[in-house]
Amino acid sequence: MGMINNALSGAIAARAALDVTSQNIANLQTVGYTRQGILLKAAAPTGNPGFAAGNGVQTPQLIRFADAYKSQQRW
């Protein structure tokens, strides 16, 4: 069952990354919109860390990329 959960978490993380990419493309011409990214993190293994496999992927947060020069010009 662990391998299926690992694959599922990878598919969910890939879907989240595609959602963020589609938002970036859709809002390309929106004034004031800043590009976003997603942080992907390996889930820690359970049990003995020396011998246990990982538990897939986590997506703990979105990252907003801001350009200080553009923000200064906008203000």
Side-chain angles (χ1 to χ4, degrees), residues 2-50:
M3 290 175 57
I4 292 174
N5 289 336
N6 286 352
L8 178 62
S9 71
I12 291 171
R15 173 60 191 241
L18 283 173
D19 287 343
V20 170
T21 301
S22 67
Q23 288 176 9
N24 287 338
I25 292 170
N27 292 309
L28 183 65
Q29 298 296 323
T30 303
V31 177
Y33 182 78
T34 56
R35 185 171 60 99
Q36 296 178 351
I38 191 163
L39 181 64
L40 300 177
K41 180 181 168 187
T46 56
N48 187 353

